[in-house]
Amino acid sequence: MTLSPARSHVLTFAAAAAALLHPVPGGGQGPTPDVQHFTVKDGLAQSWVSSVAQDSSGFMWLATKRGLQRFDGHAFVSYAVLDTGAPAELSGETGRLNLDRAGRLWVATPSALLTMDSPGRWQRFPLRERLTGWHEDSGGNVWYADVEDVRVIERAAGAPVVRSVYRTDQGGLLVSIVERAGLVWAFWADSSVTVAIRVNPRSGEIMRFRVPHVHSPSAAREDERGRVWIVGVGGGAVLAPADSVFRSVGALRGDTINDLVAADGGGQILLGRDAILRLDAGDRITGRWSPAGVFESTSLFQQLAVDREGGLWLPSLTRGVFRVDLRGPLFEHLARRTAPELMLASDFVVALHEDRRGTLWIATLGGGLTAVAPDGAARTFRHVPGDASSLASDEVWDIHEHRDGALWVGTNGGLCAVLPRGYFRCYRPPWGSGVIGGITEDDAGRLWIADYGTAVATFDTRRGTFGPPTRPLGGTAFVGLHLDRQTDLLWIGTQSDGPLRARVSAGVVTEKPRPMRERDGTNSGAYDFHRDARGTFWVASDRGLERWDPGRDTLERVSPPALEGTTVFSIEEDYDGHLWLGTSHGLVRYATDGGDSRRFGPREGLQSGEFNRGAALRRRSGQLVFGGVDGMTRFRPEDVVTRTLPPPLVFTRWSRLTSAGTVEAPVSGAETLVTGPRDGAFTIEFAALTFGARALRRYRYRLEGLDPDWIETSEPRVTYGAPRAGRYVFRVESAVGEIGEGAAPSIAIGIRVLPPVWGTLWFRALAVMLVGVALWALHLARLRSAVATERLRLRISRDLHDEVGSGLSSLALLSDTVAASTRLGDRERGQLARIGASARSMVAELRDIVWAIDPGNDRLDDVVDHMHDSAGILLQGMRVTFHAPSGSALATRLAMTARRELLLLYKELLHNASRHAGAREVAITIEVGRSELTLTVADDGEGFMPDEVRRGTGLRSVRERATRAGGRFELESAPGRGTTARVSLPLT
């Protein structure tokens, strides 16, 4: 339309550019594809790549002229390195790759079709010519075309059997497929016409079909509706299940189509000569992509493969392999300098709103207000000096839609209502700066506005009047306003004093706004407020994300890893209840139920720089839009979650340093890695199987038994020196996101480090056995020695008793007999009497010696009994009390030396009490401890001073004997108070 000069503040942009803000189904090429190009510089064995396939674990396999290779996103590895026993053909030219339902990889070579039946065991099926296509039926049988034969490899039972099903003399069969109904299709070019045959293996029935407009067929497939597709030079044709004639696909007529695969949501993705095309379910072209640098005359693409992440792989016969992601980045960044361009007057987006008609309103700082209608028409409203009906200022801070449908915006020039036909009616408060930084609404339909740095007040939309101002704090800047209708609390965001809170009622502030503190008593800038679907109230602040605790009336900061060191400016909630936070360092997704968080940044397509306070919007479609200092970011939360799930994590290979050099081997998660006693360092490699151009691979690992904590790395390998012998478990996790949060479950593998010979279990067992035998032999020797000693002691005691004792007794008797003679004088009789007494004394002493060395008297109870008997003999005429333990306390055995010392000490003490103490009563006490025996002899004699020991008492010899025996002697005595002698001897 034509605008008058008075309305020149309204600018109209092209609908095509504005449509970026509201996507139209089925329109346009869409985001610019991400393209990766892999060549020999990246590790490819050869630039000639004929086929690509992804296995059930997530590895990509590539067929080249120099063998089969595996790709894990980090490195290309030749299969001959992974399996040294692989057939020689896998190191040469390889062709078409595919996987069967059991996950087995099938590889076509010029001379054979190969598959691994079990680990290390390959099956080989000879071919007469290069295989171009094959398919597996529901029974596990493999159908393929070999020159003029359609053959089947029957694997139902026993050894596989190859059988010819159909033969044609035309030759040139290109591909075969199997319908779900079990019918086999084959195609070939007959002169200038493509012919299709359908074989029923059960009945043998064969039907022929002509395929119009398709020459030199290159690929075929059956789609989800059971339609059979054939493509090649000239386009493509399709046969519906109920039809008997192939129908040419008009949208493809004249094109050259080399391959086709299924598209998400139905339809086909096709590989053309110079573009990738997408057909919808109605066979209409809805997208055509010709990424720069991909389609050139020398590319020679023949196959199209899809990985589980949606990436398209294009193997080339001259330039390696390309991976193309048509979906573009996770997040779409829109600004004036992006492609496609966002037509805003300023990229500084501070507020967003979608009105009830579906129009998207964008408030900018310095660029006015932009509206994008559902049909894509966009208008920007600016301030025009001198025009009172224009926007009051190009600095727009907030947008609010009143319950009556009217739209209100806060600007640097006051509060403005958006009128029909692009007019504005603006109001400036009679007090304050006139900078309206926040707008909210109460239940009565009153607007509450925050005048930047001055006051908070109501606004009557019908009368156009402001209520009395409330000045919460002097000098602070108000940057947000939110009325929580659940609690009737007015929350005011400030730049430095944290959130302020006041209770309001009937348009009046009933309590003075006061700062809300955190538990530690501090506060910080607050920018946005949100009550989620579960009723929790959240605050975006300089401290990060804060949760209001109504019970304690405090703010509690939540600190997931993704929010470390960030300021949260805006909060929005998706339909699944997750919070999305616009921060100073990207966008963060926070799960309120479990606390999981993840940060997204420029790698995923986000704008650089910061997001802005309050500039967050959830559209009715579920799409989220965030504004910042560099434009806008939009995305669908469900797409982000689906595309950022942790990729499969696998071990790829390992190597160890041996005396013969470095030995490499593949790794299976079910096995244990073993290193020998002479092996040195070993390296374990792993990979998160993701292949996107923006994939951010992060890992953390730990060798349990050696590493006390997890170790983070971006490298997909780790090397350990030779640890000590033992069993270990190596664990690794992959993580996603800007800072590696959101780790996937770990994978683990056992590691066994073999010990040297002397450290093995059998060697230790043998050593223990030998030591045991030696100890047993020593024990037997000691036992034999002890027995011999006992026998010797017994013989000595008997000899002393029988020989020496009897001789001394005879001497005593003889002296008595001679002394009785009348012929001797008194002097001779006295001498004989002394001889007899000495002999009798020696017999008594000898009796004690014989008793002491007799092995039968080694037990302590025997010693105590002997001591009891000796007391009655040595202390005749005195009153004797004898106290000793009984039972098991006396079961201890005493060595002969210890027994002899004890008896000698005992007799000496009794001798002193009998001859020197002048006592009438003697008390003898024996106490037996764990390792010590205590003998106490106490009398009621005249006593003496211990320091004045007289000669002949024998006490000095008692002390010396006790010391020699390893014991101690104690003496207590005083004149007139008797004497107590105590001897303590060790029992061992």
Side-chain angles (χ1 to χ4, degrees), residues 905 957-969 983-985:
L905 287 169
S957 65
V958 171
R959 188 182 303 278
E960 292 175 355
R961 190 180 294 277
T963 301
R964 286 198 304 270
R968 61 185 183 277
F969 173 68
V983 177
S984 299
L985 297 175

Side-chain angles (χ1 to χ4, degrees), residues 903-915:
L903 291 176
L904 290 175
L905 287 169
Y906 177 68
K907 291 179 68 176
E908 189 68 38
L909 291 176
L910 295 189
H911 177 77
N912 288 339
S914 173
R915 295 189 177 185

Side-chain angles (χ1 to χ4, degrees), residues 687-740:
L689 298 180
T690 179
F691 303 96
R694 301 173 185 267
L696 183 62
R697 303 176 182 91
R698 304 176 71 93
Y699 306 97
R700 65 175 189 170
Y701 63 87
R702 179 184 179 191
L703 185 61
E704 294 179 357
L706 185 64
D707 296 328
D709 301 307
W710 289 94
I711 301 171
E712 295 189 0
T713 181
S714 58
E715 292 296 321
R717 64 184 61 83
V718 59
T719 299
Y720 285 96
R724 66 180 184 275
R727 293 182 179 271
Y728 303 87
V729 176
F730 180 75
R731 295 188 184 276
V732 63
E733 292 180 349
S734 65
V736 295
E738 273 298 288
I739 58 173

Side-chain angles (χ1 to χ4, degrees), residues 667-685:
V667 178
S668 169
E671 65 179 317
T672 297
L673 308 182
V674 180
T675 67
R678 296 185 179 180
D679 292 345
F682 62 87
T683 298
I684 302 176
E685 298 185 24

Side-chain angles (χ1 to χ4, degrees), residues 554-582:
T554 57
L555 294 176
E556 176 185 6
R557 182 171 50 165
V558 295
S559 303
L563 290 178
E564 187 72 27
T566 63
T567 295
V568 177
F569 289 116
S570 56
I571 307 174
E572 190 53 84
E573 185 176 1
D574 64 25
Y575 283 130
D576 291 327
H578 301 122
L579 296 185
W580 291 83
L581 313 172

Side-chain angles (χ1 to χ4, degrees), residues 72-301:
D72 58 22
H74 291 284
F76 293 89
V77 181
S78 295
Y79 186 74
V81 175
L82 300 173
D83 183 4
T84 56
E89 287 111 323
L90 296 182
S91 297
E93 180 179 341
T94 49
R96 192 79 176 190
L97 305 178
N98 215 331
L99 271 84
D100 61 19
R101 289 180 174 85
R104 289 183 290 262
L105 182 68
W106 289 71
V107 184
T109 71
S111 60
L113 180 62
L114 301 169
T115 185
M116 183 184 291
D117 184 58
S118 60
R121 180 183 174 186
W122 285 82
Q123 290 183 339
R124 185 178 187 277
F125 303 97
L127 296 174
R128 289 174 294 168
E129 194 171 281
R130 190 188 311 274
L131 184 70
T132 57
W134 65 276
H135 200 88
E136 180 188 22
D137 66 20
S138 58
N141 301 315
V142 175
W143 299 80
Y144 65 97
D146 184 13
V147 192
E148 68 272 13
D149 274 358
V150 175
R151 299 184 177 186
V152 60
I153 303 173
E154 296 177 336
R155 301 185 296 168
V161 176
V162 180
R163 182 170 58 87
S164 177
V165 177
Y166 176 80
R167 182 180 179 88
T168 175
D169 56 3
Q170 298 294 327
L173 281 169
L174 295 177
V175 67
S176 66
I177 64 171
V178 179
E179 287 189 79
R180 278 185 284 264
L183 305 177
V184 182
W185 286 84
F187 306 86
W188 73 92
D190 184 0
S191 300
S192 60
V193 178
T194 294
V195 177
I197 61 167
R198 186 178 70 186
V199 180
N200 188 330
R202 294 183 295 273
S203 64
E205 178 186 6
I206 298 175
M207 295 186 64
R208 293 169 60 94
F209 300 85
R210 290 172 59 88
V211 182
H213 305 292
V214 177
H215 313 289
S216 300
S218 57
R221 69 174 296 264
E222 181 187 13
D223 66 17
E224 290 69 21
R225 291 185 284 170
R227 299 184 302 167
V228 176
W229 285 74
I230 176 68
V231 294
V233 176
V238 62
L239 176 70
D243 293 342
S244 58
V245 176
F246 275 89
R247 175 182 57 84
S248 176
V249 180
L252 302 179
R253 191 170 299 173
D255 278 340
T256 295
I257 307 299
N258 294 322
D259 203 358
L260 76 167
V261 295
D264 291 339
Q268 320 289 324
I269 297 289
L270 303 103
L271 175 62
R273 180 175 52 192
D274 55 4
I276 299 173
L277 296 84
R278 173 169 183 147
L279 297 184
D280 64 10
D283 303 336
R284 296 180 297 269
I285 296 179
T286 57
R288 179 185 291 267
W289 295 267
S290 297
V294 177
F295 290 94
E296 296 180 359
S297 58
T298 58
S299 294
L300 300 179
F301 297 124

Side-chain angles (χ1 to χ4, degrees), residues 430-512:
W431 35 258
S433 65
V435 178
I436 308 302
I439 310 172
T440 187
E441 183 178 349
D442 63 20
D443 288 336
R446 283 181 290 264
L447 295 185
W448 288 79
I449 58 97
D451 186 281
Y452 187 86
T454 303
V456 173
T458 58
F459 180 77
D460 189 327
T461 59
R462 290 175 297 178
R463 298 178 181 180
T465 57
F466 292 91
T470 298
R471 292 177 171 82
L473 291 174
T476 189
F478 307 142
V479 294
L481 198 62
H482 176 82
L483 182 59
D484 182 32
R485 298 183 181 181
Q486 183 171 316
T487 58
D488 286 331
L489 293 175
L490 183 67
W491 294 79
I492 308 167
T494 71
Q495 282 189 343
S496 58
D497 295 311
L500 309 179
R501 197 192 68 189
R503 191 170 299 279
V504 298
S505 177
V508 177
V509 176
T510 59
E511 64 178 15
K512 185 177 180 179

